[in-house]
Amino acid sequence: MGTVVDDAASVEFHAFFERHYAELARLAHLLTGEADAADDLAADALLALWHRWDRVRAADRPVAYARGVVANLARTRIRGAVRERRRIALFWPRGEERTENPDVAGVVDVQEALRRLPFRKRACVVLRHAFDLSEKDTALALGISVGTVKSQTSKGMAELQRLLGPQGDPRRVHAAMAARGGESGGRNR
């Protein structure tokens, strides 16, 4: 008898998929501006719906729920793209920003050491020291707590100091990242 229920749910979901896939893909395209990502987001949303299909089909408005899932996935994708642009901007030289007498070797050493850090530590260190973001702004950008930012930044800086050896003085690390990423104002601690 379990297969009859499963078969009925499967048929019902398939009909829902056929009716709403194109609409959900269009929504994803309009939210992200990325035509190639729209199909993937719609498919990911429908996969998530399938895993919760018993709850979704019992909802008053399953299509509204599906749209919400697409919107959340699109938001996550956009945030990821913003974070990626910030990471690229940090290491991409900008013509209009110049630093007098940059420590090129120091910048290269810091970049290599940063690559060796786990992502979260690296992101915290970079946002705090290269972009001069406050702990709160860093937490918001990464979707983590302020306490996690403090912890990961502290651990990341300690690991950088270890990786860079005696020249890993925090002021030198900050100066090397600032020379590469540019100063953007004071940091609120």
Side-chain angles (χ1 to χ4, degrees):
M1 187 152 117
T3 58
V4 173
V5 173
D6 292 343
D7 288 343
S10 179
V11 168
E12 189 179 39
F13 178 79
H14 183 62
F16 182 88
F17 181 97
E18 293 296 325
R19 248 186 339 266
H20 300 290
Y21 177 80
E23 172 194 348
L24 296 174
R26 182 170 166 259
L27 173 63
H29 179 224
L30 291 172
L31 291 175
T32 63
E34 299 176 28
D36 56 339
D39 287 332
D40 291 341
L41 288 173
D44 289 347
L46 286 162
L47 179 62
L49 292 175
W50 171 245
H51 289 297
R52 296 182 213 95
W53 187 243
D54 288 340
R55 280 189 285 158
V56 173
R57 72 181 184 174
D60 291 335
R61 300 184 59 187
V63 176
Y65 185 83
R67 289 181 190 132
V69 172
V70 169
N72 285 334
L73 289 172
R75 182 182 306 115
T76 300
R77 182 175 184 87
I78 291 166
R79 285 179 179 164
V82 167
R83 288 183 197 130
E84 182 65 21
R85 281 193 296 273
R86 287 179 181 155
R87 285 191 301 270
I88 289 170
L90 175 64
F91 297 107
W92 195 268
R94 296 182 198 151
E96 70 274 2
E97 293 181 9
R98 301 282 182 225
T99 302
E100 289 186 37
N101 302 322
D103 180 3
V104 176
V107 170
V108 171
D109 290 345
V110 169
Q111 284 179 329
E112 183 58 36
L114 279 169
R115 283 187 199 102
R116 294 177 66 187
L117 293 180
F119 175 76
R120 186 177 282 178
K121 286 180 188 172
R122 181 181 344 140
C124 288
V125 167
V126 166
L127 290 173
R128 293 283 290 132
H129 293 283
F131 285 87
D132 285 331
L133 292 185
S134 68
E135 291 165 342
K136 181 179 177 184
D137 289 340
T138 300
L140 287 171
L142 298 176
I144 58 179
S145 72
V146 171
T148 301
V149 169
K150 290 178 182 181
S151 168
Q152 293 296 294
T153 302
S154 174
K155 290 176 183 176
M157 288 300 290
E159 200 164 329
L160 282 177
Q161 289 171 341
R162 183 185 59 74
L163 290 169
L164 294 169
Q167 72 270 21
D169 175 53
R171 291 178 303 250
R172 182 169 185 240
V173 171
H174 181 75
M177 284 196 290
R180 188 64 177 160
E183 294 290 339
S184 62
R187 182 175 60 220
N188 298 326
R189 290 184 184 208

